Amino acid sequence: MAKKMKYDVKDMGLADLGKKRILWADGDMPVLGLIREQFAKQKPLKGLRMSACLHVTAETANLARTLQAGGADLVLCASNPLSTQDDVAAALVKHFKIPVFAIKGEDRKTYYNHMTAALDHKPNVTMDDGADLVNEIHTKRSHEAKNIIASMEETTTGVIRLRAMEANNRLKFPVIAVNDADCKHMFDNRYGTGQSTIDGVIRASDVLLAGRRVVVIGYGWCGRGVANRARGLGAIVTVTEIDPLKAIEASMDGFDVCPMAQAATFGDVFITVTGNKHVIRPEHFRKMKDGAMVCNSGHFDVEIDIPGLKKMARSIRNVRPFIDEYTLPGNKRIRLLGQGRLINLAAAEGHPASVMDMSFAVQALSTEFAIKNRGKLDIKVHSVPRSIDEKVASLKLKSMNLKIDSLTPDQKKYLAESGEGT
Ligand code: ADE
């Protein structure tokens, strides 16, 4: 008799709705679809056991289907307690036979139990969004590290954690920094986070952004995207930074730049995208206007000092889904959106499929690369090969029906030789 599949999702009754959403997203993921067709024919991942810790969304479901088509025996768990789409999780189990351990709103204990369940699958390859699986293996199951051929990492915060492990000589297997591929961060982090963060703020609060003062904390790829999209909706945007170069860039991009201590006094909506901790803290809450909204779109829920806010508060009440209102002495109200977790995935649906198409195409091809090179990759954080970036970019361009020029033989020669000058 076939072994019964183990899984933990909220409600299997949601599976049919989830399937519709997965197929809808698939319609906007043509590059991943092509890779899936290729994988189904060539089975490059045959015999592999994979555990993936990703946001369980319709887009991730299509990546999971692709890895499965390539022959991988895959288990999925959530990379954030609030980002799971419960209907998608149920559909993956019922319609695609992929075990999922993820429930939206799960507590910390369940979150870690789900990760344990994914690792009990005994993977040879892992895939992370935030490096939690890699960290779990290194800290609690280090004897299993020898089984891992490679791990893929999806996000900036995860890559930072992994590079720190490498620098401290703690890393025990090769990892591939998918986030650092141009086809990933230039589009997903900028246009994906830009749109989905604003979507999350609006779905949570229904705020009109036109004429409002939005403060974007951090001007990396995500901050650039968020600041630009907020401006596009008519907000008056201020950027705060700790990096002089990024601050100059923000200023020359036309944004107001000032220290957080100043921005705190006038902002209506604060959005953190730094990857660092406590970039909004009690000294800032004290200066904020009554009714100020604060939210985060960085990977972890540490960017806003929520324990500090709790300590200051005389009372806390939930005023609408995804908004908790903290009343401070003097009756000033600070509104925290999405419990300080990724607002784009907590209150909205994460990045749209069209941009996840590129990120997840890089994920799938990087996994194939790691397997083709098993045993040959050094134990370190690897860049995605340029050929993968180029392949994904040209397939995406084609799917967008865009054509570009190519160099003439004369131009190629000109670039190859340095002789021709004034
Ligand atoms: N990260 C941001 N948006 C996402 C999405 N839609 N699916 C998976 N991971 C994401």
Side-chain angles (χ1 to χ4, degrees):
M1 204 174 73
K3 241 174 54 189
K4 200 161 169 266
M5 193 203 295
K6 281 195 197 148
Y7 59 85
D8 191 18
V9 301
K10 184 170 182 200
D11 177 2
M12 287 301 283
L14 299 171
D16 292 352
L17 175 61
K19 184 177 176 191
K20 281 187 194 161
R21 293 193 38 217
I22 292 168
L23 297 182
W24 173 258
D26 198 40
D28 231 354
M29 304 182 86
V31 179
L32 192 63
L34 279 176
I35 295 170
R36 192 180 314 131
E37 278 171 26
Q38 245 175 40
F39 272 21
K41 283 188 205 128
Q42 297 166 356
K43 300 280 177 204
L45 311 182
K46 191 158 178 243
L48 274 190
R49 301 175 70 80
M50 277 191 79
S51 300
C53 179
L54 301 169
H55 300 298
V56 180
T57 66
E59 294 74 30
T60 298
N62 288 315
L63 171 62
R65 292 172 62 204
T66 306
L67 300 170
Q68 184 187 52
D73 174 5
L74 174 74
V75 166
L76 183 61
C77 68
S79 60
N80 185 293
L82 268 193
S83 62
T84 298
Q85 296 170 2
D86 289 317
D87 51 356
V88 166
L92 276 169
V93 172
K94 179 172 171 190
H95 296 294
F96 300 102
K97 309 293 171 227
I98 295 175
V100 179
F101 297 86
I103 296 174
K104 185 170 177 116
E106 62 197 13
D107 59 20
R108 193 180 160 76
K109 186 163 167 257
T110 313
Y111 179 76
Y112 277 95
N113 284 344
H114 282 163
M115 220 185 309
T116 301
L119 288 175
D120 286 347
H121 183 54
K122 301 269 179 281
N124 326 108
V125 172
T126 61
M127 193 176 273
D128 261 322
D129 187 327
D132 276 350
L133 286 184
V134 169
N135 185 57
E136 200 75 356
I137 294 170
H138 281 73
T139 53
K140 297 190 197 146
R141 313 169 68 122
S142 60
H143 57 286
E144 291 174 16
K146 61 182 183 312
N147 305 333
I148 308 289
I149 298 166
S151 180
M152 269 31 76
E153 175 51 52
E154 169 77 5
T155 200
T156 314
T157 297
V159 173
I160 292 169
R161 287 178 95 183
L162 294 167
R163 287 201 199 285
M165 288 172 75
E166 182 187 346
N168 296 331
N169 286 325
R170 283 190 52 230
L171 198 60
K172 289 181 185 285
F173 45 77
V175 297
I176 300 186
V178 169
N179 176 74
D180 294 359
D182 285 348
C183 274
K184 200 281 181 178
H185 66 267
M186 283 174 64
F187 305 97
D188 171 314
N189 300 25
R190 179 166 40 179
Y191 304 110
T193 308
Q195 178 168 320
S196 63
T197 299
I198 300 300
D199 186 14
V201 170
I202 293 173
R203 288 200 211 191
S205 66
D206 201 26
V207 69
L208 178 78
L209 287 179
R212 285 260 164 63
R213 301 208 63 144
V214 171
V215 179
V216 177
I217 297 129
Y219 203 66
W221 288 100
C222 295
R224 291 176 185 123
V226 173
N228 272 293
R229 291 301 173 257
R231 172 159 66 189
L233 284 170
I236 306 158
V237 181
T238 297
V239 169
T240 73
E241 249 304 336
I242 45 94
D243 177 335
L245 287 161
K246 288 184 182 150
I248 296 169
E249 186 187 356
S251 176
M252 292 199 181
D253 282 346
F255 298 109
D256 178 30
V257 176
C258 73
M260 186 57 199
Q262 205 177 322
T265 62
F266 58 72
D268 296 302
V269 181
F270 295 84
I271 305 172
T272 59
V273 263
T274 66
N276 210 335
K277 70 182 282 199
H278 296 181
V279 295
I280 305 185
R281 42 187 188 268
E283 70 201 68
H284 304 127
F285 294 127
R286 257 176 237 119
K287 293 187 170 167
M288 284 183 190
K289 297 194 297 199
D290 179 36
M293 290 196 273
V294 294
C295 67
N296 166 53
S297 214
H299 185 77
F300 286 120
D301 62 345
V302 296
E303 305 213 6
I304 301 167
D305 181 2
I306 300 171
L309 180 60
K310 278 194 181 136
K311 257 195 220 151
M312 293 169 76
R314 285 203 341 233
S315 63
I316 306 169
R317 62 182 188 128
N318 180 260
V319 287
R320 73 184 252 140
F322 302 113
I323 305 194
D324 295 322
E325 187 175 86
Y326 290 69
T327 303
L328 309 190
N331 284 337
K332 185 166 77 181
R333 293 161 302 172
I334 305 290
R335 288 156 179 164
L336 175 67
L337 274 53
Q339 299 170 26
R341 296 199 185 274
L342 287 158
I343 192 63
N344 59 337
L345 282 142
E349 294 173 65
H351 305 351
S354 166
V355 81
M356 293 313 295
D357 187 28
M358 299 176 77
S359 309
F360 285 164
V362 177
Q363 280 284 13
L365 293 178
S366 296
T367 309
E368 182 186 33
F369 166 80
I371 297 316
K372 274 194 182 143
N373 290 282
R374 71 200 295 169
K376 288 191 225 147
L377 297 177
D378 293 339
I379 298 181
K380 63 172 200 167
V381 179
H382 291 260
S383 302
V384 171
R386 190 68 196 161
S387 57
I388 291 183
D389 250 334
E390 281 164 5
K391 177 170 176 178
V392 173
S394 59
L395 288 173
K396 189 69 179 175
L397 201 62
K398 204 164 163 208
S399 80
M400 294 164 85
N401 258 327
L402 296 175
K403 293 197 172 64
I404 58 171
D405 294 319
S406 46
L407 294 172
T408 65
D410 195 36
Q411 286 171 330
K412 274 191 197 159
K413 189 161 164 276
Y414 175 79
L415 292 176
E417 295 166 357
S418 55
E420 209 175 313
T422 318

